[in-house]
Amino acid sequence: MFAFVFLQPKVVEYCCQDTNESQTSYLKSKVHLKLKVDFKERGDSFTMASASDGVVPRQQRLFVAAIDFGTTYSGYAFSSKNDWEKEPLKIITNNWNSGTRNLLSTKAPTTLLLNPDKSLRSFGYDAETKYAEMIEDEEDFEDYYYFHCFKMLLHSNKRLRRDTEIKDATKKPLKAMHVFSQSIKFLRNDLFKSLKKMIADIQEDDIHYVLTVPAIWDDSAKQFMREAAVKAGISEKQLSIALEPETASIYCQHLQLTRQTDKGGASFLGVADTGTRFMVVDLGGGTTDITFHERCRGGKLKEIHRPMGGPWGGRNIDEAFFAFIEELFKKDVLGEFKKNHMDDYIEVEREFETKKRAFTSESGVVKMTFPLSFIDEAKKIWKTDSVDEIIKKSKYAGKVKTKSQKLHIPKDIFISLFLPTVDNIIAHIQKIIEDNAVSFDYILMVGGFAECDIVQKRFKDTFTDKKIIIPEEAGLAVLKGAVLYGHMPHIIESRVARHTYGIQSWPEFDARKHPVSKRVVIDGVPRCKDVFFKYVTIGQEITPGYKLSQVFQALKPDETTLECTIFASWEKDPKFITDESCFKLGTLTVPLPQQRTREALEIEETMVFGETELHISARDTINNRIYNDAFFNLLDK
């Protein structure tokens, strides 16, 4: 591995350590490293050597297309450069029809069906229907791969790698990268077909793509999504990663004056002057993303607190509903029903989705139709001819009733399905406000779950001192805002660092501040190993394009690469990379020329902070050569 040794402030000696020998055994080859910081707002002319050489400036592309890859639902939207200049909110979305019960949606379920050879079969409602038909027709459905609501893997997996696997409905493993890339591929192809209908001679080079991700995702998950999108056929030169609450906030800034009003009748645009601070709560299917923004001059936005949130969303309500059904009829009933009647199970999911969307605090008893196949399974397992007799043996006896193949669920029980999730979200927000003393006047509620009347009422009842803003089409705020972000990549004036970032260093040992356990001797000099040398501090306000450069000097002509491991921490001032709060983020690798002179080679590696992703570039300081194959690897830890 590679280590760093302090020689003097901002000058580091770079050594190669042989991990098979003792801690004090090092190779003689050394590389000097210098640090420099450059504050510069990134313009279209600034390019990352790893991806952006030859990028067509975004304003020259005819269309911006956004893909919102959600936990439960996904969709796409687009607008032309001309339409955006004339009417920013003229954004086209797709309509997806489930094919049953007239459930029409601007997004499709994040459900993927792959053929036995792992090629794409179908996606969305079509994938659900085809898979159910396979089971019903007793086809060899187990040879196919069926994935449903799998995005949360990227949030919950703390050791995400390129070869991370995910299991399908029948527990068959498959690489998650393939599952995600095939899903994005379907959305990208369908999007292109929609554009092709409008402009027959449109080319791929005419489109800039924006892919949304939760702001609370870590850097490795963002890189995972970028690589999945590239594997799906989207050129890296035409791809931006956008943060979901940011794009939603951008969308809310551009609402027409007549569309969104608060209780006093004034539009948000009318009251959100320069300096206005607001919290954005993005309530999606799998996660809740919370960010704080301040409106700046020229309509730009400044992030004033690092993103926070958790795994709470509309999907939790679905899980609560089926847990309720299990309590009513036993887990075995639901299990056998799903196993033997997948088509009817999917129909129940869609039925609940319809009821969930329509339910309000003013609603009465919720009446849900259940298939005869479910009732038959329940009677068979319970060995009874009466469904009412089954319910009488549950804790809901006398409350839940059945009539004409319908389950009658009282209002208070239906509301109880929502409360644990909503209460977790509310409590989390209250803790953020209490711990960080962030001042703001408005709460913007966006995301599909924000359209839920129960969620809205709980927010209004809890945050009585704040003005709650819920835009029309709250469920499309992220998607449409992503299109706007694609046209205005510099609208975010500054962001807040999510972690403290740094590298490992080896300064001279100081008994007054260094523990004896960290003392090593290198070339006769006592040094302290594992010291965290900080680049950026958590909570630090960073302008997009904040650059930090490292100049390496390769002294051995046979060295093939220069590498530097980057670490991150949840603390402001970590002492050692071995602290509990620290973790390895990734490795910067610069391949060196195979043939070069004996003169020492100086390579400047530049890290760029303040964007939605961490970027790097590398160049030879002597001849200014750019290393296009320099790579910041976050997925092979």
Side-chain angles (χ1 to χ4, degrees), residues 311-419:
W312 314 295
R315 183 65 183 168
N316 297 92
I317 315 306
D318 301 344
E319 293 171 355
F321 169 72
F322 283 105
F324 160 70
I325 297 300
E326 286 184 347
E327 287 182 325
L328 270 179
F329 296 98
K330 280 189 178 180
K331 186 175 183 179
D332 292 347
V333 174
L334 188 62
E336 288 298 307
F337 171 62
K338 185 176 181 180
K339 176 182 176 182
N340 301 323
H341 309 280
M342 178 60 78
D343 55 334
D344 287 339
Y345 180 85
I346 290 173
E347 190 59 44
V348 172
E349 284 188 317
R350 294 174 180 174
E351 171 88 357
F352 178 69
E353 182 67 25
T354 301
K355 298 297 182 182
K356 185 174 68 174
R357 293 185 186 189
F359 187 81
T360 72
S361 55
E362 305 299 323
S363 299
V365 174
V366 175
K367 299 176 183 179
M368 280 195 62
T369 301
F370 267 71
L372 284 172
S373 57
F374 179 85
I375 297 172
D376 290 340
E377 289 287 356
K379 289 179 178 179
K380 182 173 66 176
I381 290 175
W382 280 90
K383 297 179 181 179
T384 180
D385 291 330
S386 173
V387 176
D388 289 333
E389 287 299 318
I390 299 174
I391 295 176
K392 284 180 182 179
K393 295 178 182 179
S394 74
K395 68 178 185 179
Y396 298 103
K399 300 177 181 178
V400 177
K401 303 181 184 299
T402 59
K403 186 177 180 181
S404 302
Q405 205 180 323
K406 289 188 177 182
L407 198 65
H408 291 210
I409 308 172
K411 174 181 175 179
D412 61 326
I413 293 178
F414 200 81
I415 290 177
S416 71
L417 303 177
F418 293 77
L419 296 186

Side-chain angles (χ1 to χ4, degrees), residues 394-629:
S394 74
K395 68 178 185 179
Y396 298 103
K399 300 177 181 178
V400 177
K401 303 181 184 299
T402 59
K403 186 177 180 181
S404 302
Q405 205 180 323
K406 289 188 177 182
L407 198 65
H408 291 210
I409 308 172
K411 174 181 175 179
D412 61 326
I413 293 178
F414 200 81
I415 290 177
S416 71
L417 303 177
F418 293 77
L419 296 186
T421 299
V422 179
D423 288 346
N424 278 333
I425 296 169
I426 295 289
H428 187 69
I429 293 174
Q430 289 174 322
K431 189 172 187 340
I432 293 173
I433 296 172
E434 180 182 340
D435 292 348
N436 299 280
V438 182
S439 62
F440 63 98
D441 296 316
Y442 296 89
I443 298 177
L444 299 184
M445 294 178 62
V446 297
F449 196 34
E451 295 179 341
C452 173
D453 179 79
I454 296 173
V455 177
Q456 295 177 8
K457 189 175 187 305
R458 291 284 286 174
F459 266 74
K460 291 175 181 178
D461 290 344
T462 303
F463 303 106
T464 55
D465 60 331
K466 309 296 180 185
K467 294 181 181 179
I468 309 294
I469 305 293
I470 306 158
E472 287 186 6
E473 299 184 316
L476 291 176
V478 167
L479 181 57
K480 290 190 173 183
V483 176
L484 295 174
Y485 174 79
H487 289 293
M488 302 177 291
H490 308 303
I491 192 170
I492 304 298
E493 188 170 280
S494 66
R495 294 183 174 92
V496 175
R498 187 168 182 245
H499 300 297
T500 295
Y501 297 92
I503 60 174
Q504 179 184 20
S505 61
W506 302 66
E508 290 188 13
F509 186 82
D510 185 341
R512 293 169 298 178
K513 61 180 180 180
H514 296 147
V516 177
S517 61
K518 295 290 185 181
R519 185 180 184 275
V520 295
V521 178
I522 303 173
D523 291 338
V525 180
R527 296 192 179 276
C528 183
K529 66 177 181 177
D530 299 335
V531 174
F532 192 108
F533 178 67
K534 183 169 61 175
Y535 288 170
V536 170
T537 303
I538 187 172
Q540 179 180 337
E541 182 179 329
I542 303 174
T543 301
Y546 172 91
K547 297 190 291 183
L548 190 147
S549 297
Q550 309 164 135
V551 179
F552 293 82
Q553 189 180 63
L555 300 181
K556 287 187 67 176
D558 59 344
E559 288 179 295
T560 59
T561 62
L562 288 178
E563 293 186 2
C564 174
T565 300
I566 306 299
F567 294 89
S569 172
W570 289 105
E571 293 182 358
K572 286 188 175 181
D573 295 299
K575 293 182 179 180
F576 303 101
I577 62 168
T578 54
D579 289 353
E580 188 176 347
S581 70
C582 297
F583 56 95
K584 178 182 174 181
L585 184 68
T587 303
L588 287 153
T589 301
V590 181
L592 299 178
Q594 292 184 356
Q595 295 181 349
R596 59 181 189 270
T597 64
R598 289 190 170 275
E599 182 180 358
L601 184 66
E602 288 192 349
I603 305 295
E604 181 185 70
E605 292 182 351
T606 300
M607 290 192 68
V608 183
F609 296 90
E611 308 288 343
T612 57
E613 304 168 86
L614 289 174
H615 295 281
I616 69 161
S617 64
R619 71 179 182 92
D620 186 328
T621 60
I622 297 175
N623 58 31
N624 211 32
R625 173 189 174 187
I626 301 296
Y627 290 90
N628 296 322
D629 47 0

Side-chain angles (χ1 to χ4, degrees), residues 146-163:
Y146 181 75
F147 298 92
H148 180 58
C149 294
F150 49 88
K151 181 185 173 185
M152 285 298 288
L153 168 78
L154 301 194
H155 175 75
S156 58
N157 194 317
K158 302 306 179 185
R159 296 184 62 84
L160 187 64
R161 300 170 60 97
R162 287 182 186 84
D163 59 0

